[in-house]
Amino acid sequence: MVKIGIIGAGRIGKVHAKAASNLNGAKIIWLADPIAPDLEETAKSMGIEKTSKNYKDILNDKEVDAIFICTPTDTHYTISMEALNFGKHIFCEKPVDLELGRVKDVKDLVAKTGKKYMVGFNRRFDHNFMAIKENIDKGLIGKLELIQITSRDPEPPPISYVKVSGGLFCDMMIHDFDMVRYLSSSNPKSLTAIGDALVNPKIKTEGNDIDTAIVSIELENGALAVITNSRRASYGYDQRAEVHGELGALSCSNDTSNTLVISSKDGIIHEKPLYFFLERYLNAYKMEIEIFVDSIINNKETPVTIEEAYQSLLLAKAAQKSLIENRKVYINEL
Amino acid sequence: MVKIGIIGAGRIGKVHAKAASNLNGAKIIWLADPIAPDLEETAKSMGIEKTSKNYKDILNDKEVDAIFICTPTDTHYTISMEALNFGKHIFCEKPVDLELGRVKDVKDLVAKTGKKYMVGFNRRFDHNFMAIKENIDKGLIGKLELIQITSRDPEPPPISYVKVSGGLFCDMMIHDFDMVRYLSSSNPKSLTAIGDALVNPKIKTEGNDIDTAIVSIELENGALAVITNSRRASYGYDQRAEVHGELGALSCSNDTSNTLVISSKDGIIHEKPLYFFLERYLNAYKMEIEIFVDSIINNKETPVTIEEAYQSLLLAKAAQKSLIENRKVYINEL
Amino acid sequence: MVKIGIIGAGRIGKVHAKAASNLNGAKIIWLADPIAPDLEETAKSMGIEKTSKNYKDILNDKEVDAIFICTPTDTHYTISMEALNFGKHIFCEKPVDLELGRVKDVKDLVAKTGKKYMVGFNRRFDHNFMAIKENIDKGLIGKLELIQITSRDPEPPPISYVKVSGGLFCDMMIHDFDMVRYLSSSNPKSLTAIGDALVNPKIKTEGNDIDTAIVSIELENGALAVITNSRRASYGYDQRAEVHGELGALSCSNDTSNTLVISSKDGIIHEKPLYFFLERYLNAYKMEIEIFVDSIINNKETPVTIEEAYQSLLLAKAAQKSLIENRKVYINEL
Amino acid sequence: MVKIGIIGAGRIGKVHAKAASNLNGAKIIWLADPIAPDLEETAKSMGIEKTSKNYKDILNDKEVDAIFICTPTDTHYTISMEALNFGKHIFCEKPVDLELGRVKDVKDLVAKTGKKYMVGFNRRFDHNFMAIKENIDKGLIGKLELIQITSRDPEPPPISYVKVSGGLFCDMMIHDFDMVRYLSSSNPKSLTAIGDALVNPKIKTEGNDIDTAIVSIELENGALAVITNSRRASYGYDQRAEVHGELGALSCSNDTSNTLVISSKDGIIHEKPLYFFLERYLNAYKMEIEIFVDSIINNKETPVTIEEAYQSLLLAKAAQKSLIENRKVYINEL
C-alpha cells in the first residue's frame, strides 16, 4: 500500500486527491495546505486522516512513500528538493520551475536519489491523444511528416495570474511542446515563435505577455510541427491534434458532454466541447495517478520523467527567445 | 447513511456494487449470491463486510435499509415481495417479471408498504437521451410529432439465454418502450409489430423468438413512434433516438471511446460505437444508483417507479400479441 | 440526335428542359404548355425553336422521337396513351396515374408498342442513394435485414394541392416505396400504415389526407423495412436511408450547400440540408434525362420502367387501405 | 455578347471552355493551341467555330473581346502584354509570372489600357471558403485573431514539373497566400517559412524544391496566420481553413462525392475528400468565368485583379527568401 501525502488542496489538489482516493494499492494519509479554508472538510469527505497547514509535517512522516505537489509553481522547486532528500517519490504538477537551472537541480537530485519523479503532463493520458500516439507507434501512417496542434483556452486568465504564470509559453504551450515530443518521439531542433496580445491588450501592457501565438518547429527526425495557442475560445476548451505521415493522417477533435444534435430553422447545432481542462482531462488525471502509483509499486519508470519536463521548458524558453529576438532560434543555443 | 444489501454478484450486480461503493450517504453492508465463486473476493475488493449464499440473511438484517435485486429475472418477483414485507426499499433490475399479474402484485404491495421501488431503466440516465428529454421538456421542438428509436445489440445472445429471456420484446425492446414513454411523456394507444429471426434462424426454430423487429406505435398524445431492434450490429452497440416536433428535431448518436479519425487511401475512418451496454451506460448506472439512494435519504419519488415497469411490460406483451396475431393491437385489449 | 418535345413548362418541366438542353445526342425542339405565361421566353432562353399551347402539335410532329410529360398528374394517362400510339418514347413524371387500372393500361400499351417508357423516380439517381445501392450490390453488408427510410418535406403543401395530390402515400411516400424496392431488389409482401395530420389538421379535415406516417413492411426476401414521412422539417428537406445487413450497415445523410461550421458560445453550428427537392436532386434530374436519352440512342432498357411505377403505386394503395381499414394489408389482396 | 478566345486547350483550358460555353452573354469563338492533338475535336464538341495553332490569330481578330490564358506559366507574361496592347480583356491562370518585375509590367499596362485583367485564384469562388468569408464580413466572429490554412495535394508532381513550377511557394502555396489575404482583408507584414522534401527527397536533390512547408505570418491588421502545405495526402485533396475571432470560429472541411457511411467491424468509414482540384473546384471554375464575363458586360471591377496576383507572388518570394536565409522576412524588404 503506497502511502500518499498531498501538498496543496486547491482545485488540482482536489482532483488528484479524488483520483487517488479510489485507487487500489494507494492510500492518502495527509492533506496539507497553508491557507485552504476547507482543508478539514475536504480531507474528511475523502477519508484522509491527517491534515496540516505545514507540508513539512508530511515530509517528516516516515510512513509517507510519495507526495503530490499541487501548490503554486514558485514552491515546486523547494518542495521537490526537500522531499527528494526525505526519500519521497514525487508527482509534481507542471511546470516544475520556470528556471532551467533549477529544473536541472531537481533532475540531478532525482538521478542521485533514484526516487520516482513524475510530472503532470496530463494530456499524454487523454484518450484522444493516446489513440493518435498508439496508431503512430503501430506504423499506421508510416514516417511522420507534419504535426499540427491547436490549443485554446475558453477565456484568458486574470492579469494577476498572467504576471506569475511564467508567460504563455511556460504556462500553456508547454503542454503542447510536450505533446509534439510525445507524438513525434523526437526533439525539436529549432523553432520560430510569433505572438501578440490580441484577446486582451492588458495581457501585454500590464502582464508583459501574449495571448495568441504560433510556433513552427523543425524536429530532429526531419518532421515539421506547428502549434497554435490562444487564451480565448468562446465555444469551449479546444484541444486538437493532427498528424500527417507518408501513409495518411491521424487526427482527434474535442470531447463533448453528449451527442445531441438540434436541427431547426437556425441550423444543425451540435454540442460544444467540454468547457475546460478539468472536464476534458478528468479521466487523464485519474490515469496518470494510477500509473504513478503503479510505477512505485512495481518499481517501473514513470511515463513522464523530470527529463521530459526539462525538455519542454527548454522549448518554452526557446520560444520566448524567438519572440523577443524576432528570429528563428536553435534549441542548442540555450 | 443508507445501508444497502446487494443480491446477485454477477455482471450487473458488480456494476451496481461499484457504483454504490463510492456514494456519499450510502454503504453496502451485504453481498449475497448463491453460486458466485468470487463472492468473497468481490466483497472484499469493494469493502463490503458481510457475504452470504442466502439473500434471506440480508432481509433478516434490520440494519439494511435497501436492497438491489441483481439476480435472474425469474427470482425478481419473489425477492421483491419478500423484501417489501421486510420493509426494505428496492432497486430492481428490469424486467420485474414476465407476467403482468405478478408485476401488478408488486405494484400493489409497493403502494401498501409505501417503500421506494425503482426499476433499472438505465437509459433514462444516459447523457444523450437525457439531453434529448431536457430539450423536449424545455419546448425546444414544440409539440411532438414523431419518435424514431434504433436499438441494436452487437451480437445475438446464446439460444439458452433466448429461451429464458422472455423474448425480444420483454428482454430488449422493453427498454425502448420505456424510452418512448419517457421521451413522449405519453402512453401508447396501439401498436403493430413485425419481426423475424434474420440474424440467427435458430433463435426462431429453437428459441421460439425473433431477433429483428419493427414496432410502430400510436401514442395517446397523438404523436407516432417507431422502434427498430436487431440482435446484431457488427460495428458495436447501436442506440440512437430521433425526435421530431413542430419546431425541429432532436437526435443523438452513439458514444465512442475517442474522437480519433484515420484518413488514408482506405477512407476516413471514425471510431466505432462503444461495444455494449456496460461501456455505453456506465455513467447511467452510476447516476441511477445515486438517484435511488437520494430518493431514500430525502424521501423523494424515484424517477422510475414500478408503474413504469408495468406499463413497459404491457407494451412488450402487446407487441408479442401483435406479432402472433398478425394485426394491430390496442393496448387496452390487454 | 434524339428530338425531344417537352409537355409542361412549369417548375419540373424547366428542370428537365435545362438538363436536356446541355445533352450531347439530344435536342429539344418543342415546348408546349396551355397556360404558362412565360412559355416563349423559356423556350427562347434554352434555344427551343417551337412552342405550342397544344401538346398534340408535338405528337403530330413526325420529327419528334420522345416526349417528356411534365404536366399535372391527372393528364399523364391520356398523354401517355396518345403519345404511345403516335410512336413516341416517353419520360413521365411520377405518378403515372392514381388508378392502378390506368397504369396497367399504359403498361400494356408500352409492351405492345415496344416504346421506351421511363418514370421519374429521380432518387434512384441521387449520388447518396446510389452509393448505398452500389455497396449493397457489391455484397459489402451481406444479406439485407432492415431498411430504414426517412423522408420529410420542409413544409406542408397548400390544401388545394393536397386535394388533388392523391394523398401522401401516392404523392410523397411513393418515392420511398420505390426506394425500398430499389435498395432491396425485392417486393413487399405486406405492410402496415399508421398516420395522422399532425402538422396541419386541415390536411385531414379539408384535404382528407395525412401529413405524418409510418409504414412498416415485410419484404418477399425476408428483410424488413420501415418508412417515416412528414410534411414538415423546419431544418430543410430531409432524405436519409439506412440499410442493415449481416456484415454491417450503410447509411447516407443529407447534402448541404457547404461544409461551414460556426463555433461560438451558441454551440457548434453546421449547415442545414439543402432546402427542397430541386436543390437536393439537381444532379439526379440531369442524370435520369441523360440515361433516358442514352437508352433510346442505344436501344437499352430504361432503368425505371412503367412496371416499377405500377409496383410503387400498388404499395401506395396498400398503405391507404391499411390506414383506412386499420390493419396489416397483404399486397396480393389488391 | 462577349466574344471569347481561349489560348491553351489543355486540362484547365478545357475546364474554362466548358464553363464559358454554357454562359448566357458569352460566346467562345476561338480555341488556340500549338500542340494539342485534339484541338479540332475539342472545339467541335463545344461548338467553337475557329481554331488555330497560333494564338496571334485570336489577338488579330477584332471581334474578340476577351481571352483566357490557359497556357504554361512561362508564356503568360508575353501573351498578357501583347493581348493588352491589342485591347483585349484577359482572364489569366495563376501565376501571372514568376518574376515580380514582370508582373509589375503587366499591372502597369493593365492600368494604362484600362482593360479587365482577372487572375484565376479559383478558391475565392469555392462555396466553402466563400461561406467563411461571408460570415467574417458579416461580423459573425468579430475581430480576426488567427487564420489556419491546410492545403495538401493528393500526390507529388513529377520532378520535371517541379523544375519549371517556380517552386512550392509560387506554384502551390500562392493560392493559400491569396486565401489569407482574401479572408483577412489584410496584407502580411512578415513571414517565416520552414520546409523540406519529406515526401520525395528527389524534389530537393533534383528539383531544388521542397514538398512540405509551414509558413507563419504576421498581418498588418494585427492577426496571425499559419499555412501548412504538403504535396501528399493519401486520402485525397485536402483543403481546409479555420478562422478564429473574438466571438468564435469559422471552419470548413473537405467536400466528398456523397454522404455514405459504412459501419462494420472495421470501423465507421466515411467518404474520402474529392480527389483533386478539378473535382473540388469545379463549381468555383464556373463561377469565376461567369463573374469575369459579367465584369466585362457591366463594366465592373473583377474580384481578383492583377494587384492581387502581384501581392501573392510577393509573399511567395518572401517565403522563398525566408527558407533560404533561414530567418523571418519582412515583406517590405522585397
Side-chain angles (χ1 to χ4, degrees):
Chain A
M1 183 66 69
V2 177
K3 304 269 177 55
I4 293 167
I6 292 177
I7 304 174
R11 190 168 55 172
I12 197 71
K14 281 174 185 159
V15 167
H16 290 320
K18 185 143 191 232
S21 66
N22 286 319
L23 262 191
N24 290 332
K27 190 172 165 55
I28 311 171
I29 60 174
W30 278 99
L31 181 64
D33 195 294
I35 51 167
D38 58 349
L39 181 64
E40 291 300 325
E41 200 181 321
T42 305
K44 202 178 162 191
S45 76
M46 296 184 186
I48 303 171
E49 288 159 24
K50 291 181 276 191
T51 61
S52 172
K53 285 188 180 301
N54 188 346
Y55 72 87
K56 299 202 181 184
D57 292 340
I58 298 181
L59 303 188
N60 280 314
D61 183 344
K62 291 205 176 120
E63 266 207 302
V64 171
D65 300 301
I67 62 162
F68 289 6
I69 305 179
C70 310
T71 52
T73 298
D74 58 3
T75 67
H76 291 182
Y77 171 76
T78 305
I79 301 176
S80 290
M81 296 298 281
E82 286 178 3
L84 286 166
N85 281 323
F86 270 93
K88 309 302 187 196
H89 300 294
I90 298 173
F91 178 91
C92 184
E93 267 308 306
K94 63 101 253 197
V96 174
D97 195 86
L98 298 174
E99 292 308 314
L100 278 168
R102 309 224 298 180
V103 179
K104 194 161 177 313
D105 288 352
V106 177
K107 200 168 80 164
D108 292 345
L109 193 54
V110 167
K112 197 175 141 198
T113 60
K115 291 291 145 186
K116 308 292 179 202
Y117 194 100
M118 180 160 159
V119 182
F121 283 126
N122 55 294
R123 294 185 199 170
R124 290 194 179 209
F125 307 98
D126 173 67
H127 54 163
N128 296 322
F129 295 126
M130 284 175 69
I132 291 184
K133 174 68 170 166
E134 279 162 21
N135 282 291
I136 291 173
D137 289 354
K138 270 196 282 183
L140 205 80
I141 57 167
K143 190 167 66 69
L144 291 201
E145 290 167 6
L146 187 61
I147 298 175
Q148 294 173 239
I149 292 178
T150 295
S151 178
R152 305 176 67 92
D153 284 352
E155 50 188 24
I159 303 295
S160 57
Y161 175 85
V162 170
K163 286 179 178 168
V164 300
S165 68
L168 180 130
F169 295 122
C170 289
D171 177 54
M172 181 176 175
M173 200 182 279
I174 198 165
H175 277 293
D176 305 300
F177 287 128
D178 183 63
M179 188 51 60
V180 168
R181 295 184 65 252
Y182 170 66
L183 293 176
S184 70
S185 304
S186 179
N187 278 317
K189 197 171 65 183
S190 77
L191 58 72
T192 312
I194 57 174
D196 206 344
L198 301 178
V199 175
N200 181 0
K202 287 188 181 167
I203 284 177
K204 195 176 194 174
T205 53
E206 299 180 14
N208 195 28
D209 196 12
I210 58 177
D211 55 32
T212 309
I214 300 172
V215 173
S216 53
I217 297 171
E218 293 170 307
L219 288 156
E220 284 176 359
N221 68 1
L224 306 178
V226 63
I227 299 167
T228 60
N229 266 196
S230 169
R231 290 288 197 184
R232 172 157 66 193
S234 59
Y235 48 86
Y237 197 43
D238 190 359
Q239 304 268 296
R240 289 170 283 144
E242 185 174 321
V243 183
H244 296 267
E246 60 186 333
L247 304 176
L250 300 165
S251 66
C252 69
S253 52
N254 294 300
D255 288 336
T256 57
S257 63
N258 59 60
T259 65
L260 179 69
V261 176
I262 303 171
S263 302
S264 75
K265 63 180 172 45
D266 301 323
I268 309 301
I269 306 182
H270 294 239
E271 269 295 314
K272 288 186 286 189
L274 296 173
Y275 185 66
F276 208 1
F277 63 96
L278 291 181
E279 294 86 1
R280 163 71 183 261
Y281 293 120
L282 192 59
N283 284 314
Y285 285 122
K286 285 183 194 160
M287 186 185 281
E288 67 177 4
I289 295 308
E290 197 173 310
I291 288 176
F292 173 65
V293 165
D294 180 64
S295 75
I296 295 172
I297 295 175
N298 297 301
N299 193 24
K300 293 193 284 196
E301 181 61 280
T302 59
V304 196
T305 65
I306 178 76
E307 174 65 19
E308 313 280 350
Y310 182 79
Q311 291 297 334
S312 291
L313 184 62
L314 201 58
L315 297 175
K317 292 292 178 184
Q320 281 176 331
K321 194 178 181 73
S322 172
L323 187 73
I324 290 164
E325 301 185 4
N326 202 18
R327 65 174 181 91
K328 183 190 274 197
V329 166
Y330 284 82
I331 310 307
N332 63 14
E333 292 179 38
L334 275 85
Chain B
M1 183 68 68
V2 176
K3 304 268 177 57
I4 294 167
I6 294 178
I7 304 175
R11 192 168 55 172
I12 198 70
K14 282 173 186 160
V15 167
H16 290 319
K18 185 143 188 233
S21 67
N22 287 317
L23 261 193
N24 290 332
K27 190 173 166 57
I28 310 171
I29 61 174
W30 278 100
L31 183 63
D33 195 293
I35 52 167
D38 58 350
L39 182 64
E40 292 300 326
E41 202 181 318
T42 304
K44 202 178 161 192
S45 77
M46 295 184 188
I48 303 171
E49 286 159 27
K50 293 181 274 192
T51 62
S52 172
K53 285 187 181 304
N54 188 344
Y55 72 88
K56 300 203 179 180
D57 291 339
I58 296 180
L59 302 188
N60 280 314
D61 184 342
K62 290 202 176 126
E63 264 205 303
V64 171
D65 300 300
I67 62 163
F68 290 6
I69 306 179
C70 310
T71 51
T73 297
D74 58 4
T75 66
H76 290 182
Y77 171 76
T78 306
I79 300 177
S80 291
M81 296 299 279
E82 285 178 1
L84 285 167
N85 282 323
F86 271 93
K88 309 300 186 195
H89 300 293
I90 298 174
F91 178 93
C92 184
E93 266 309 306
K94 63 100 259 199
V96 173
D97 196 86
L98 298 174
E99 293 309 315
L100 277 168
R102 308 224 297 179
V103 179
K104 195 162 176 312
D105 288 351
V106 177
K107 202 168 76 164
D108 292 344
L109 194 52
V110 169
K112 196 174 141 202
T113 60
K115 292 288 146 188
K116 307 292 177 202
Y117 194 100
M118 180 160 159
V119 182
F121 282 125
N122 55 294
R123 293 183 200 173
R124 291 194 180 209
F125 308 98
D126 173 65
H127 55 163
N128 297 323
F129 296 127
M130 283 174 69
I132 290 183
K133 174 65 169 167
E134 280 162 21
N135 282 292
I136 290 172
D137 289 353
K138 269 195 285 183
L140 206 79
I141 58 168
K143 191 167 64 70
L144 291 200
E145 291 167 6
L146 188 60
I147 297 176
Q148 293 173 241
I149 291 178
T150 295
S151 178
R152 305 176 66 92
D153 283 352
E155 50 188 23
I159 303 295
S160 56
Y161 175 85
V162 170
K163 286 178 178 168
V164 299
S165 69
L168 182 127
F169 296 123
C170 289
D171 177 54
M172 180 173 176
M173 200 181 281
I174 197 166
H175 278 293
D176 305 302
F177 287 130
D178 183 63
M179 187 53 60
V180 168
R181 295 184 64 253
Y182 170 64
L183 293 177
S184 69
S185 303
S186 179
N187 278 319
K189 197 172 64 184
S190 78
L191 56 71
T192 313
I194 58 176
D196 206 344
L198 302 178
V199 175
N200 181 0
K202 288 188 180 165
I203 284 179
K204 195 174 192 173
T205 54
E206 299 181 15
N208 195 28
D209 196 12
I210 57 175
D211 55 31
T212 309
I214 300 171
V215 173
S216 53
I217 297 170
E218 294 170 307
L219 288 156
E220 284 177 0
N221 69 2
L224 306 177
V226 63
I227 299 167
T228 61
N229 265 195
S230 170
R231 290 287 196 182
R232 172 155 68 190
S234 59
Y235 48 86
Y237 196 42
D238 191 0
Q239 303 269 297
R240 287 170 283 143
E242 185 174 319
V243 183
H244 295 269
E246 60 185 333
L247 304 176
L250 299 166
S251 66
C252 69
S253 52
N254 294 301
D255 288 335
T256 57
S257 64
N258 58 60
T259 63
L260 181 69
V261 176
I262 302 171
S263 301
S264 74
K265 61 180 172 45
D266 302 324
I268 309 299
I269 307 181
H270 293 239
E271 270 296 315
K272 288 187 284 190
L274 294 173
Y275 184 67
F276 208 1
F277 63 95
L278 290 181
E279 294 85 0
R280 163 71 182 261
Y281 293 120
L282 191 60
N283 284 314
Y285 285 122
K286 285 183 194 163
M287 187 185 280
E288 68 178 2
I289 294 311
E290 198 175 309
I291 287 176
F292 173 64
V293 166
D294 179 63
S295 75
I296 296 173
I297 295 176
N298 296 301
N299 194 25
K300 293 192 283 197
E301 180 61 278
T302 61
V304 196
T305 66
I306 178 75
E307 173 66 20
E308 313 281 348
Y310 182 79
Q311 292 297 333
S312 291
L313 185 63
L314 200 58
L315 298 175
K317 292 292 178 187
Q320 282 176 331
K321 194 177 182 70
S322 172
L323 188 73
I324 291 164
E325 301 184 5
N326 203 16
R327 63 170 182 94
K328 183 190 274 198
V329 167
Y330 284 82
I331 309 308
N332 64 15
E333 293 180 37
L334 277 84
Chain C
M1 182 70 68
V2 177
K3 303 268 176 56
I4 294 167
I6 293 178
I7 304 176
R11 192 168 56 172
I12 198 70
K14 282 174 186 160
V15 167
H16 290 320
K18 188 147 187 227
S21 66
N22 286 319
L23 263 191
N24 291 331
K27 190 171 166 58
I28 311 170
I29 60 174
W30 277 100
L31 182 64
D33 196 295
I35 51 166
D38 58 349
L39 181 64
E40 292 299 326
E41 201 180 322
T42 304
K44 203 178 160 191
S45 78
M46 294 183 188
I48 303 171
E49 287 159 26
K50 291 181 274 191
T51 62
S52 172
K53 284 187 182 302
N54 189 346
Y55 71 89
K56 300 202 177 181
D57 292 339
I58 297 181
L59 303 188
N60 280 315
D61 183 342
K62 290 199 176 127
E63 265 205 301
V64 171
D65 301 301
I67 62 162
F68 290 6
I69 305 179
C70 309
T71 51
T73 297
D74 58 3
T75 66
H76 290 182
Y77 171 74
T78 305
I79 301 176
S80 291
M81 296 298 280
E82 286 178 3
L84 285 167
N85 282 324
F86 271 92
K88 310 300 186 196
H89 300 295
I90 298 174
F91 178 92
C92 184
E93 267 310 305
K94 62 100 254 198
V96 173
D97 196 87
L98 298 174
E99 292 309 315
L100 277 168
R102 309 223 298 178
V103 179
K104 199 167 171 307
D105 287 351
V106 177
K107 203 168 76 165
D108 292 345
L109 193 53
V110 168
K112 197 175 142 201
T113 60
K115 292 290 146 189
K116 308 293 177 202
Y117 194 101
M118 179 159 160
V119 182
F121 282 127
N122 55 294
R123 293 183 200 173
R124 290 193 180 210
F125 307 98
D126 173 65
H127 54 163
N128 296 323
F129 296 126
M130 284 175 70
I132 290 183
K133 175 67 169 167
E134 280 162 20
N135 282 292
I136 291 172
D137 289 354
K138 270 196 284 184
L140 205 79
I141 58 168
K143 191 166 64 68
L144 291 200
E145 291 167 6
L146 188 61
I147 298 176
Q148 295 173 240
I149 292 178
T150 296
S151 178
R152 305 176 66 92
D153 284 352
E155 50 188 23
I159 304 296
S160 57
Y161 176 86
V162 169
K163 286 179 178 168
V164 300
S165 69
L168 181 129
F169 295 123
C170 290
D171 177 54
M172 181 174 174
M173 200 181 279
I174 199 166
H175 277 293
D176 305 301
F177 287 129
D178 183 63
M179 187 53 58
V180 167
R181 296 184 63 253
Y182 170 65
L183 293 177
S184 69
S185 304
S186 179
N187 278 319
K189 197 171 64 184
S190 78
L191 57 71
T192 312
I194 58 175
D196 206 344
L198 301 178
V199 174
N200 181 359
K202 287 188 181 167
I203 284 177
K204 195 174 193 173
T205 53
E206 299 180 15
N208 194 28
D209 195 12
I210 57 175
D211 55 32
T212 309
I214 300 171
V215 173
S216 53
I217 297 170
E218 294 171 306
L219 287 156
E220 285 176 359
N221 69 1
L224 306 177
V226 63
I227 299 167
T228 61
N229 266 196
S230 169
R231 291 286 196 182
R232 173 157 64 192
S234 59
Y235 48 85
Y237 197 43
D238 190 359
Q239 303 270 297
R240 288 170 284 143
E242 186 175 319
V243 183
H244 295 268
E246 61 184 332
L247 304 176
L250 300 166
S251 65
C252 69
S253 51
N254 293 301
D255 289 334
T256 57
S257 63
N258 59 59
T259 64
L260 180 69
V261 176
I262 301 171
S263 301
S264 74
K265 62 181 172 42
D266 301 323
I268 309 299
I269 307 181
H270 293 240
E271 270 296 314
K272 289 186 285 189
L274 295 174
Y275 185 67
F276 208 1
F277 64 95
L278 291 181
E279 294 86 359
R280 164 69 182 264
Y281 294 120
L282 191 59
N283 284 312
Y285 285 122
K286 286 183 193 164
M287 187 184 279
E288 67 179 1
I289 295 308
E290 198 174 308
I291 288 176
F292 173 63
V293 166
D294 180 64
S295 75
I296 296 173
I297 295 175
N298 297 300
N299 193 23
K300 293 192 286 196
E301 180 61 280
T302 60
V304 196
T305 65
I306 178 76
E307 173 65 20
E308 313 280 349
Y310 182 80
Q311 291 297 332
S312 291
L313 185 64
L314 200 58
L315 298 174
K317 293 291 178 187
Q320 281 176 332
K321 194 178 180 70
S322 171
L323 188 74
I324 291 164
E325 301 185 4
N326 203 17
R327 64 171 182 94
K328 183 190 274 199
V329 167
Y330 285 82
I331 309 307
N332 62 14
E333 293 181 38
L334 277 82
Chain D
M1 184 67 69
V2 177
K3 303 266 175 57
I4 294 167
I6 294 178
I7 305 175
R11 190 168 57 173
I12 197 72
K14 281 173 184 158
V15 167
H16 290 318
K18 186 144 188 232
S21 67
N22 286 319
L23 262 192
N24 289 332
K27 188 172 167 58
I28 311 171
I29 60 174
W30 278 99
L31 181 64
D33 195 296
I35 51 168
D38 58 349
L39 181 64
E40 291 300 325
E41 199 181 320
T42 305
K44 202 178 160 190
S45 78
M46 295 183 187
I48 303 172
E49 288 160 25
K50 292 180 274 192
T51 62
S52 172
K53 285 188 181 304
N54 189 346
Y55 72 88
K56 297 200 182 185
D57 292 340
I58 298 182
L59 303 189
N60 280 313
D61 184 342
K62 289 202 178 125
E63 265 206 302
V64 171
D65 300 303
I67 63 163
F68 290 6
I69 306 179
C70 309
T71 52
T73 298
D74 58 3
T75 66
H76 291 182
Y77 171 75
T78 305
I79 301 177
S80 291
M81 296 297 280
E82 286 179 2
L84 285 167
N85 281 323
F86 270 93
K88 309 301 188 196
H89 300 293
I90 298 173
F91 178 92
C92 184
E93 267 308 306
K94 62 99 254 189
V96 173
D97 195 87
L98 297 174
E99 293 307 316
L100 277 168
R102 308 223 299 179
V103 179
K104 196 166 174 311
D105 287 351
V106 177
K107 201 168 77 164
D108 291 345
L109 193 54
V110 168
K112 199 176 139 198
T113 60
K115 291 289 144 188
K116 308 293 178 202
Y117 195 102
M118 181 160 157
V119 182
F121 282 125
N122 55 295
R123 294 185 199 171
R124 290 194 181 210
F125 308 98
D126 173 66
H127 54 163
N128 296 323
F129 296 126
M130 282 174 69
I132 291 183
K133 174 68 170 167
E134 279 161 21
N135 283 291
I136 291 173
D137 289 353
K138 269 197 282 182
L140 206 80
I141 57 168
K143 191 167 64 70
L144 291 199
E145 290 167 6
L146 189 60
I147 298 175
Q148 294 173 239
I149 292 178
T150 296
S151 179
R152 304 175 67 92
D153 284 351
E155 50 187 25
I159 304 295
S160 57
Y161 175 84
V162 170
K163 285 178 180 170
V164 300
S165 68
L168 181 129
F169 295 123
C170 289
D171 178 54
M172 180 175 175
M173 200 181 281
I174 198 165
H175 277 293
D176 305 301
F177 287 129
D178 183 62
M179 188 51 62
V180 168
R181 294 184 65 252
Y182 170 65
L183 293 177
S184 68
S185 304
S186 178
N187 279 317
K189 196 170 64 184
S190 78
L191 56 71
T192 311
I194 58 176
D196 207 343
L198 301 178
V199 175
N200 181 0
K202 286 188 182 167
I203 283 178
K204 194 177 194 171
T205 53
E206 299 181 13
N208 194 29
D209 196 12
I210 57 176
D211 55 31
T212 309
I214 300 172
V215 173
S216 52
I217 297 171
E218 294 169 307
L219 288 157
E220 283 176 359
N221 69 2
L224 306 178
V226 63
I227 299 166
T228 61
N229 265 196
S230 170
R231 291 288 197 181
R232 172 157 66 193
S234 59
Y235 47 86
Y237 197 43
D238 190 359
Q239 304 268 296
R240 289 170 283 144
E242 185 174 320
V243 183
H244 296 268
E246 59 184 333
L247 304 176
L250 300 165
S251 66
C252 69
S253 50
N254 294 300
D255 288 336
T256 57
S257 64
N258 59 59
T259 64
L260 179 69
V261 175
I262 302 170
S263 301
S264 76
K265 64 180 172 42
D266 301 323
I268 310 301
I269 307 182
H270 293 240
E271 269 296 315
K272 288 187 285 188
L274 296 173
Y275 185 66
F276 208 1
F277 63 96
L278 290 182
E279 294 86 0
R280 163 70 183 262
Y281 293 119
L282 192 59
N283 284 314
Y285 284 122
K286 285 183 194 161
M287 187 184 280
E288 65 179 2
I289 294 309
E290 196 174 310
I291 287 176
F292 173 63
V293 166
D294 179 63
S295 74
I296 296 173
I297 294 175
N298 296 301
N299 193 25
K300 292 193 284 194
E301 181 60 283
T302 60
V304 196
T305 64
I306 177 75
E307 174 66 20
E308 313 280 349
Y310 182 80
Q311 291 297 333
S312 290
L313 184 63
L314 200 58
L315 298 175
K317 291 294 176 182
Q320 281 176 330
K321 193 177 181 73
S322 171
L323 188 74
I324 292 165
E325 302 185 3
N326 203 17
R327 64 173 181 91
K328 182 190 274 196
V329 166
Y330 285 82
I331 309 308
N332 62 15
E333 291 180 40
L334 275 84

